[in-house]
């Protein structure tokens, strides 16, 4: 905590009590701690709440003395939470950026790097289905939303941030209110994940140009008792920033800030501020922390926060991600072990207007969830509880079925959250070579629509063009605007091959293949790609992936001959 400071909140006596009357009551209360030189320093944004100075080194004793006063609601030291410039202690600034490296938005299983080589991710489709949403639901959203970033500030002149920040104020204790720029890098990185323009390197989750940011800075550089200088966030600063962001129009908050998971009790000032946000229909998202512990840090552990943990590009809980009772959701936050730096999350950085960096941590996962909440708000869901419910109902369920303490409800899915009527598909599949050398693939699709009746089932046939046989997948429903993501073929025993559908070997079309009056989606794979993906002699075949944001899974015993 900050030395020589306490946060004191008085109980409310009358709703019309003036500030001067409250401060007079506080002065009388502080007489009980006169031995500790207790004096009022400043009012906080929270009602009836003040910063009180006391003798350094005597904070606990002074707090105990004041807590006995009947007019005191709570009193506590000005606790410090932490952010790291590079989250887990390291980062990799880069000017060699490519949108395809945003595996958290679209994970095809691999991407190219300079020199003509490929980086292979842990698992295809271990992403939030952003590309499918961006392609399917129009490239520009019409609705508006405001996101409050409670962090180390934002470099508002960054290419990805230009025009995004509509209000800014610094609350970091000991610094002027006008010092709103990001001197650490953390806040700019978080802001890019939430709402980057997409003008140069990448899109943020909330890509609509009517999505704006409120820069409520709460973290800065401080000198610690051992003489070191590091980034930290006083509790009073966090609480002030929350209230101010809410009062300045935020619909959603992001707090990529955390204490250690071992801290038994959270700062009451932050809880009260978060409760204020919820009372104003504002939804706060908080990072669970990076201790790798089976309990989550504060403020994420407060029930007022939506606690967000981190997955890596293998679609499993990142080793550092805190989890346990109270976790609500997970989102991609990056890894610290595989193919660094590319396994981190690429986003904007504070060292220049076109600077970028890879970071990993729950700090990167929380803003992805906050960005999705802002999209839902912009699309017309203006109730915080309904926004959270939609997000939890449309996740990709990871781990144990349903809610669990490792993944919460599951990993967020942007496309399904924005379009909950997406059709779910389950497809028994057979894949054989016929005597004439052609390939026949048969899929019977069981279509289950969330809020619409089931149409007819679909089939797969073959089509030959100059001897090149292409299996055709088609479904008996109207797949208007549907885009494909990726498909993985495997042998059922851990051997898998991914087929990227966004290249020249893939084609799709909307046609009425079976002449039943409904448009069908045709997915055409070339023969060579399938032959390479499915080895001869396979007796068990598995197909998994997404078609749009529709999960596809199939499993069948077959014989494959090449």
């Amino acid at each position: 905590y900050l030395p020589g400071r306490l946060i004191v909140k008085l109980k409310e006596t009358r709703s019309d009590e003036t500030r001067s009357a409250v401060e007079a009551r506080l002065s009388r209360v502080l007489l009980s701690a006169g031995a500790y030189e207790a004096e009022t320093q400043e009012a906080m944004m929270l009602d009836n709440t003040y910063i009180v100075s006391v003798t350094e080194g005597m904070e606990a004793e002074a707090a105990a003395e004041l807590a006995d006063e009947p007019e005191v609601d709570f009193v506590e030291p000005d606790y410090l939470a932490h952010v790291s410039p590079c989250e887990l202690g390291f980062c990799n600034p880069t000017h060699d950026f490519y949108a395809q490296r945003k595996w958290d938005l679209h994970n095809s299983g691999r991407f190219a790097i300079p020199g003509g080589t490929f980086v292979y991710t842990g698992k295809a489709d271990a992403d939030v289905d952003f590309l499918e949403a961006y392609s399917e639901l129009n490239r520009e959203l019409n609705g508006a939303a405001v996101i409050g970033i409670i962090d180390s500030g934002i470099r508002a002149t960054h290419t990805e941030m230009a025009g995004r920040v509509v209000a800014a104020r610094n609350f970091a204790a000991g610094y002027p209110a006008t010092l709103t720029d990001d001197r650490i890098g953390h806040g700019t990185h978080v802001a890019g994940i939430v709402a980057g323009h997409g003008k140069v390197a990448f899109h943020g989750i909330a890509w609509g140009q009517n999505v704006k940011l409120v820069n409520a800075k709460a973290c800065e550089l401080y000198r610690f008792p051992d003489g070191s200088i590091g980034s930290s966030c006083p509790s009073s600063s966090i609480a002030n920033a929350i209230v101010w962001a809410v009062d300045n129009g935020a619909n959603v908050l992001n707090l990529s800030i955390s204490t250690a998971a071992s801290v038994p009790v959270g700062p009451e000032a932050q809880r009260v501020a978060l409760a204020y946000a919820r009372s104003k229909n504002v939804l706060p998202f908080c990072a669970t922390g990076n201790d790798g512990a089976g309990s989550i840090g504060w403020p994420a552990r407060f029930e007022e926060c939506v606690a967000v943990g981190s997955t890596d590009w293998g679609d499993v809980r990142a080793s550092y991600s805190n989890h346990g009772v109270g976790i609500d959701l997970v989102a991609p936050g990056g890894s610290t072990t595989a193919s660094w730096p590319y396994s981190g999350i690429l986003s904007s950085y504070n060292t220049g207007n076109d600077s970028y960096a890879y970071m990993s941590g729950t700090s990167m996962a929380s803003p992805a969830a906050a960005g999705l909440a802002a999209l839902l708000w912009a699309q017309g869901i203006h109730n915080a509880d309904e926004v959270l419910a939609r997000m939890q109902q449309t996740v990709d369920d990871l781990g144990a079925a349903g809610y669990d303490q490792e993944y919460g409800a599951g990993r967020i899915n942007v496309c399904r959250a924005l379009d909950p009527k997406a059709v779910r598909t389950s497809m028994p599949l057979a894949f054989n070579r016929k005597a004439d050398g052609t390939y026949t693939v048969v899929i019977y699709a069981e279509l289950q629509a969330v809020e619409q009746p089931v149409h007819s089932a679909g089939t797969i046939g073959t089509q030959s063009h100059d001897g090149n046989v292409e299996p055709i997948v088609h479904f008996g429903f109207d797949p208007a605007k549907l885009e494909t993501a990726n498909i993985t073929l495997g042998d059922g025993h851990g051997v898998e091959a991914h087929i990227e559908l966004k290249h020249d070997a893939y084609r799709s079309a909307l046609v009425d293949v079976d002449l039943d009056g409904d448009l069908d989606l045709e997915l055409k794979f070339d023969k060579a790609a399938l032959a390479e993906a499915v080895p001869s002699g396979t007796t068990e075949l598995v197909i998994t992936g997404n078609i749009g944001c529709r999960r596809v899974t199939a499993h069948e015993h077959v014989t494959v001959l090449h």
Side-chain angles (χ1 to χ4, degrees):
Y1 49 82
L2 288 179
R5 284 167 64 98
L6 297 177
I7 299 174
V8 179
K9 184 177 189 300
L10 298 183
K11 295 176 181 177
E12 182 178 306
T13 57
R14 303 193 320 270
S15 60
D16 61 345
E17 188 177 27
T18 65
R19 172 174 285 193
S20 61
V22 174
E23 292 178 353
R25 281 201 294 136
L26 178 61
S27 296
R28 292 192 295 271
V29 167
L30 294 184
L31 291 175
S32 66
Y36 306 106
E37 300 179 336
E39 293 183 0
T40 304
Q41 292 300 305
E42 61 183 273
M44 290 181 55
M45 301 291 293
L46 292 168
D47 289 342
N48 301 341
T49 309
Y50 292 83
I51 300 296
V52 171
S53 64
V54 296
T55 305
E56 289 191 18
M58 305 295 289
E59 295 86 0
E61 293 84 351
E65 192 79 30
L66 290 169
D68 288 337
E69 291 294 315
E71 289 192 77
V72 172
D73 188 353
F74 71 82
V75 57
E76 62 188 8
D78 198 353
Y79 293 110
L80 290 170
H82 298 282
V83 295
S84 167
C86 302
E87 194 55 13
L88 291 172
F90 49 85
C91 61
N92 189 348
T94 179
H95 287 276
D96 184 18
F97 42 79
Y98 294 93
Q100 63 177 323
R101 296 187 190 170
K102 289 289 290 176
W103 60 265
D104 50 316
L105 302 186
H106 177 62
N107 189 342
S108 68
R110 70 177 189 176
F111 54 80
I113 61 175
T117 59
F118 288 94
V119 170
Y120 289 87
T121 68
K123 183 179 180 181
D125 200 36
D127 57 44
V128 299
D129 281 352
F130 171 87
L131 181 62
E132 293 79 13
Y134 186 72
S135 298
E136 181 177 343
L137 304 174
N138 298 318
R139 292 177 179 263
E140 187 61 48
L141 298 177
N142 296 322
V146 179
I147 308 167
I149 306 295
I150 318 298
D151 214 290
S152 62
I154 300 173
R155 186 181 180 95
T157 58
H158 195 285
T159 301
E160 305 298 346
M161 295 292 105
R164 283 282 204 230
V165 179
V166 294
R169 181 172 171 179
N170 178 38
F171 291 95
Y175 288 91
T178 55
L179 183 60
T180 58
D181 202 9
D182 181 10
R183 303 199 302 166
I184 295 170
H186 191 271
T188 301
H189 198 271
V190 164
I193 294 171
V194 171
H197 272 310
K199 290 186 176 180
V200 178
F202 65 90
H203 277 283
I205 296 288
W207 73 85
Q209 295 306 305
N210 291 327
V211 176
K212 302 298 182 181
L213 302 175
V214 167
N215 175 11
K217 181 175 176 178
C219 311
E220 252 296 349
L221 299 172
Y222 292 92
R223 186 182 299 277
F224 295 97
D226 63 0
S228 64
I229 296 177
S231 54
S232 199
C233 319
S235 186
S236 60
S237 305
I238 296 170
N240 280 335
I242 291 170
V243 174
W244 181 82
V246 170
D247 290 346
N248 279 269
N251 311 117
V252 174
L253 302 178
N254 185 77
L255 292 89
S256 289
I257 295 168
S258 184
T259 62
S262 58
V263 175
V265 180
E268 183 66 7
Q270 294 180 36
R271 188 201 66 77
V272 173
L274 290 164
Y276 175 78
R278 293 303 293 263
S279 74
K280 298 295 185 179
N281 195 36
V282 176
L283 194 58
F285 290 80
C286 302
T288 60
N290 303 320
D291 306 302
S295 58
I296 60 182
W298 307 95
R301 208 185 306 183
F302 289 125
E303 64 179 13
E304 290 83 1
C305 255
V306 181
V308 185
S310 179
T311 56
D312 63 21
W313 65 13
D315 225 12
V316 296
R317 179 180 62 82
S319 60
Y320 56 79
S321 181
N322 293 351
H323 53 288
V325 175
I327 187 171
D328 294 297
L329 296 163
V330 291
S335 170
T336 61
T337 56
S339 301
W340 183 255
Y342 305 111
S343 62
I345 304 298
L346 177 65
S347 186
S348 45
Y349 202 45
N350 71 317
T351 54
N353 291 338
D354 62 348
S355 59
Y356 298 83
Y358 294 91
M359 295 189 193
S360 295
T362 56
S363 283
M364 286 64 252
S366 182
L372 174 53
L375 284 180
L376 291 171
W377 185 280
Q379 292 297 90
I381 304 179
H382 291 167
N383 179 284
D385 293 335
E386 292 178 10
V387 168
L388 178 58
R390 171 72 68 82
M391 293 175 67
Q392 292 176 318
Q393 291 163 1
T394 56
V395 294
D396 286 321
D397 190 11
L398 304 179
Y403 178 89
D404 62 77
Q405 293 184 12
E406 194 163 12
Y407 299 98
R411 174 179 41 71
I412 62 169
N413 186 300
V414 175
C415 188
R416 266 206 302 277
L418 293 176
D419 181 17
K421 296 181 181 179
V423 176
R424 316 302 198 257
T425 58
S426 177
M427 306 178 191
L429 178 147
F431 182 79
N432 284 281
R433 194 180 74 160
K434 295 170 65 175
D436 62 1
T438 63
Y439 283 86
T440 301
V441 180
V442 179
I443 292 180
Y444 301 96
E446 299 174 0
L447 306 178
Q448 296 178 338
V450 175
E451 297 180 8
Q452 59 192 39
V454 175
H455 288 237
S456 58
T459 60
I460 288 187
T462 59
Q463 181 174 342
S464 178
H465 297 287
D466 301 326
N468 186 27
V469 177
E470 297 174 325
I472 302 172
V473 186
H474 59 87
F475 306 98
F477 67 99
D478 183 358
K481 301 182 181 178
L482 195 62
E483 292 282 339
T484 54
N486 48 60
I487 295 293
T488 298
L489 299 175
D491 65 358
H493 301 285
V495 178
E496 295 183 341
H498 175 251
I499 300 179
E500 169 61 66
L501 302 186
K502 293 286 186 182
H503 60 58
D504 291 342
Y506 159 74
R507 295 191 301 278
S508 67
L510 293 174
V511 296
D512 185 7
V513 177
D514 53 3
L515 302 178
D516 65 353
D518 288 327
L519 288 176
D520 304 312
L521 175 68
E522 293 185 347
L523 306 181
K524 302 179 182 181
F525 303 88
D526 68 17
K527 177 179 176 181
L530 285 176
E532 181 181 352
V534 183
S536 178
T538 300
T539 58
E540 198 171 11
L541 187 62
V542 178
I543 179 171
T544 59
N546 273 16
I547 297 179
C549 49
R550 288 79 169 156
R551 292 294 294 175
V552 175
T553 179
H555 187 193
E556 185 73 20
H557 290 276
V558 298
T559 300
V560 178
L561 301 173
H562 294 316

